[in-house]
Amino acid sequence: MNSTQQRRGPRTVSARRVAFDVLRAVQVDDAYANLLLPTRIRRAGLSARDAAFATELTYGSIRMLGRYDAIIGVASGRRVDNVESDVLDVMRLGVHQLLGMRTPTHAAVSATVELTREIGARRATGFVNAVLRKVAARADDEWDALITEGRGGDALLATRWSHPAWVVAALRDALAAERSRDELAALLAADNVAPRVQLVALPGLATAEDVQVAEDVQAAEAVPDPATSATEDDQATQDAPPVSPQRDETDARPVSPVGIRGTTGDPARVPGVAAGRLRVQDEGSQLAALALSRSSAVRAGERWLDMCAGPGGKAALLAAEAAQGGATLVANELVPARAGLVRKALATVAGGDVVTVVEGDGRRFGKPGDERFDRVLLDAPCTGLGALRRRPEARWRKQPEDVPELAALQAELLDAAVRALAPGGTLAYVTCSPHLAETRGQVDALMARHGDVLEQLDTAGVVRAVAARDPQVADGRTVQLWPHRIGTDAMFVALFRRTA
């Protein structure tokens, strides 16, 4: 038994095998990497260094899948459709190590060839070895020139930045609506950057000590950069220091007044997270919830509704805000399993006298005789194109034909939200997508249907007042957050008040 085996004891699952297994589950079983990967890492007993390596290898390979397939096609002289799917996934991991993580060629190629054997594809080891060596023979900018040759417009950007062309077009349109079309390349690049861990300090629960300890722990326990640290398997073969992949270079200061912005590492190691007083939540989501709860002073006795509450992140923040202001919250979720997540998320935030979790279709609210609510959050089902950093598989799963169906559902939910809103009440319409059909288009259509009883609020003014620093939003009655500007998901928020 060698020293590496002695260090590991019974563990035999490598960081690369964990990444491969998750990538296959994403491809074959429609799994979500952000949900599956932590479980597989814990099951494999990976060290902090190997966990960081597996995380970057998994997420990076999924984000850059389109670009890497183009490179593999050129390097192999084959259409990737003609390569066996498991072998193709192995090569995607290998290419990311070579071009995205700058793992030394010998370590990346030899370990990927060994992984090919391990998954039972011994017949393909020579092919994998040859393709990866061809990939390693050229720099990334040389590959960029090769795979974009003869392409222009959205097709070129789609290949270069590894986004489907229809997503590129949708993002271009959304930026153009703010007269910011020239920011498209920066946005596409930001979608391919590993985001910082972001936490929310729940008001009334988290203490100043919780926040300070969280900041100290994240600084002290930040794991080694996965691209500047080899895995344990690589230590014997590493012959040059690799170069770090692109990281989030936006302002490290929190933009949310209850946000904590970290770097890397396992947030579960933070005591406040383990106790439930701090939660993992993107600061864009925090601002969206706070735009509703802090749009005006809370009056004791107010009734609030979260129409689509699963998995419970925004509901937890709203519940904490409601408890402090003397309000109550009804958190609704259609899917029973997600409703269970909402109950779990709220269990340590507020008691049953503050929060009620119910199950059912959000479109049922507002029927004659039903109670009315003073504040309603509609965080509507959407394409998720605003969270491509955190949910890398979304860009490959969603299709343009999904948009009309989602838009129709969003409109029906908005109609129900208006019916459920009490006179003088506030509605926050939120999506994790910048697609115009899900954002400004919905707002315009809503006002056309209900302009006699609704008025739009100065959402940009509210978000600026709530934020801890400049959220860099355009003036107007709607707000679109952007990852390349402030390091959050691309959340859309529009606030309305019922006038009659």
Side-chain angles (χ1 to χ4, degrees):
M1 180 179 293
N2 61 36
S3 59
T4 297
Q5 290 172 318
Q6 289 174 338
R7 277 199 309 273
R8 287 181 174 166
R11 180 173 63 80
T12 59
V13 179
S14 69
R16 289 180 175 88
R17 181 56 190 260
V18 167
F20 171 80
D21 288 343
V22 173
L23 180 55
R24 288 302 292 156
V26 167
Q27 297 288 91
V28 176
D29 302 324
D30 287 337
Y32 291 93
N34 66 319
L35 300 179
L36 182 59
L37 181 61
T39 300
R40 293 299 178 91
I41 286 174
R42 286 193 295 270
R43 187 181 300 170
L46 298 184
S47 65
R49 179 176 58 194
D50 281 8
F53 188 94
T55 299
E56 172 58 33
L57 184 54
T58 303
Y59 286 171
S61 297
I62 298 172
R63 289 188 191 103
M64 304 306 293
L65 184 146
R67 177 178 175 84
Y68 292 160
D69 282 2
I71 291 171
I72 291 168
V74 173
S76 67
R78 299 186 190 180
R79 289 175 54 88
V80 293
D81 294 346
N82 296 329
V83 179
E84 293 183 59
S85 60
D86 56 347
V87 174
L88 180 58
D89 279 340
V90 168
M91 288 196 292
R92 288 163 171 162
L93 297 173
V95 174
H96 187 59
Q97 291 168 69
L98 292 168
L99 300 181
M101 299 175 71
R102 304 300 194 269
T103 304
T105 299
H106 178 68
V109 175
S110 63
T112 304
V113 169
E114 179 57 35
L115 180 59
T116 309
R117 293 193 185 94
E118 185 180 333
I119 67 169
R122 181 179 296 271
R123 69 205 173 281
T125 54
F127 174 63
V128 170
N129 181 74
V131 171
L132 292 184
R133 292 199 177 279
K134 285 186 178 180
V135 172
R138 297 180 186 272
D140 192 49
D141 57 351
E142 293 179 279
W143 280 115
D144 184 73
L146 281 172
I147 63 176
T148 59
E149 185 177 3
R151 297 175 183 265
D154 291 347
L156 183 149
L157 293 174
T159 302
R160 173 171 292 161
W161 299 110
S162 200
H163 287 62
W166 78 272
V167 174
V168 173
L171 297 178
R172 181 195 301 279
D173 290 345
L175 286 167
E178 295 186 354
R179 300 180 181 177
S180 302
R181 186 189 296 264
D182 59 344
E183 297 179 23
L184 179 59
L187 172 58
L188 296 173
D191 279 346
N192 293 335
V193 173
R196 291 185 177 96
V197 174
Q198 297 177 8
L199 306 177
V200 59
L202 293 176
L205 280 79
T207 64
E209 182 180 4
D210 285 328
V211 174
Q212 185 60 57
V213 169
E215 293 170 346
D216 293 344
V217 167
Q218 292 200 79
E221 296 192 0
V223 298
D225 189 315
T228 57
S229 300
T231 67
E232 293 176 1
D233 289 331
D234 292 339
Q235 286 299 303
T237 59
Q238 187 165 1
D239 52 18
V243 178
S244 173
Q246 189 179 20
R247 315 304 287 177
D248 186 351
E249 298 298 333
T250 55
D251 194 330
R253 295 174 300 157
V255 70
S256 163
V258 293
I260 303 169
R261 190 169 294 200
T263 52
T264 57
D266 183 2
R269 300 182 184 187
V270 177
V273 173
R277 297 184 297 273
L278 307 179
R279 306 289 176 90
V280 176
Q281 186 178 52
D282 181 82
E283 288 183 71
S285 294
Q286 297 174 36
L287 288 178
L290 294 175
L292 176 64
S293 64
R294 300 187 181 184
S295 59
S296 61
V298 179
R299 293 173 286 106
E302 284 188 3
R303 293 278 289 163
W304 298 3
L305 170 65
D306 185 347
M307 291 181 67
C308 304
K314 295 183 187 70
L317 180 50
L318 286 179
E321 291 272 289
Q324 286 208 300
T328 57
L329 172 69
V330 174
N332 177 74
E333 173 53 43
L334 171 63
V335 181
R338 287 169 62 86
L341 295 176
V342 175
R343 291 186 180 93
K344 183 177 180 181
L346 297 177
T348 59
V349 178
D353 57 331
V354 174
V355 178
T356 303
V357 178
V358 296
E359 297 180 21
D361 192 320
R363 291 172 289 188
R364 76 186 187 280
F365 286 102
K367 293 179 181 178
D370 287 353
E371 67 175 323
R372 298 294 186 261
F373 296 89
D374 301 291
R375 302 186 197 227
V376 175
L377 172 65
L378 173 53
D379 182 16
C382 66
T383 55
L385 299 185
L388 299 184
R389 303 174 308 153
R390 300 180 189 280
R391 299 170 190 163
E393 63 281 332
R395 71 184 71 182
W396 309 118
R397 286 189 183 159
K398 295 297 183 182
Q399 300 298 324
E401 52 267 27
D402 295 330
V403 177
E405 182 178 352
L406 283 165
L409 174 60
Q410 291 158 3
E412 291 173 1
L413 287 166
L414 276 167
D415 288 342
V418 172
R419 295 194 305 267
L421 199 59
T426 303
L427 164 65
Y429 174 63
V430 175
T431 68
C432 189
S433 169
H435 196 296
L436 291 180
E438 302 181 275
T439 57
R440 292 177 180 234
Q442 288 289 3
V443 170
D444 291 344
L446 178 67
M447 292 306 295
R449 295 193 305 273
H450 299 288
D452 57 330
V453 297
L454 282 183
E455 65 177 355
Q456 289 186 255
L457 302 182
D458 178 13
T459 308
V462 171
V463 170
R464 290 191 185 107
V466 166
R469 59 179 174 87
D470 183 5
Q472 300 184 42
V473 297
D475 291 332
R477 295 178 177 178
T478 64
V479 160
Q480 181 64 67
L481 304 176
W482 295 109
H484 65 289
R485 294 181 188 171
I486 58 171
T488 70
D489 289 343
M491 303 296 297
F492 174 84
V493 186
L495 296 175
F496 307 85
R497 177 178 294 119
R498 179 153 188 150
T499 57

